[in-house]
Amino acid sequence: MRKKSVRPRSVVGGCLLFAAAAFAGGWPGATAAPEAGQFETRCGWFSNPTPANASLFDRDDEWIVGVQGGHQAEGDWPEFGPRQWVETNVHYGYGCACLRVRVERETNRVLEIESARARPLSACRRDRRLRRWGFR
């Protein structure tokens, strides 16, 4: 769907590493956050409204995959079949997907996509925590 780009790796500051270590230390009720540079799976609405602009809207937040003329995550975007894609603007639109990604939490940018797969639209439509985004 789009070609891969080569981008320099992001450097994460010591504060984030300290915070991740604190969560991993076992505070009561805390969930261990992935370490900087680790891949994690995120599922939700993959939106591509216009050329080179894309985001993943999951249960937690909006994750910026690409901005026209600016940031573009490394790796391939998911490929959607006709029944997995809601067209909103000549070939552009949104679908439901899971992406294995490396993110920069401070900026909500996806740095790299290791793998991506489209899911049935019904999977995102059924998820109550995704309804706040307004996709149908």
Side-chain angles (χ1 to χ4, degrees):
M1 186 165 197
R2 66 184 274 287
K3 65 179 184 177
K4 291 185 180 184
S5 62
V6 178
R7 302 243 181 247
R9 303 277 184 208
S10 176
V11 178
V12 178
C15 291
L16 179 63
L17 293 176
F18 176 77
F23 275 110
W27 288 342
T31 303
E35 291 180 26
Q38 283 189 334
F39 283 93
E40 55 192 87
T41 300
R42 295 194 163 272
C43 298
W45 293 110
F46 185 88
S47 175
N48 176 212
T50 54
N53 292 308
S55 293
L56 179 69
F57 295 85
D58 72 2
R59 296 172 178 191
D60 298 325
D61 219 330
E62 174 185 4
W63 301 94
I64 308 299
V65 176
V67 176
Q68 189 174 43
H71 167 74
Q72 293 292 321
E74 294 179 37
D76 293 329
W77 295 2
E79 292 187 23
F80 297 91
R83 300 188 76 202
Q84 295 171 309
W85 190 247
V86 177
E87 195 170 291
T88 58
N89 180 19
V90 188
H91 305 297
Y92 299 98
Y94 62 91
C96 187
C98 284
L99 282 68
R100 183 128 173 92
V101 294
R102 195 168 53 83
V103 300
E104 182 178 70
R105 294 184 186 284
E106 297 83 17
T107 61
N108 277 36
R109 293 190 316 174
V110 173
L111 301 174
E112 185 176 357
I113 302 169
E114 182 179 60
S115 63
R117 66 179 173 86
R119 301 175 68 201
L121 291 168
S122 61
C124 286
R125 288 175 176 155
R126 281 192 312 259
D127 190 332
R128 291 178 188 212
R129 290 181 278 191
L130 296 178
R131 289 184 185 161
R132 69 182 175 137
W133 300 114
F135 297 99
R136 298 276 172 233

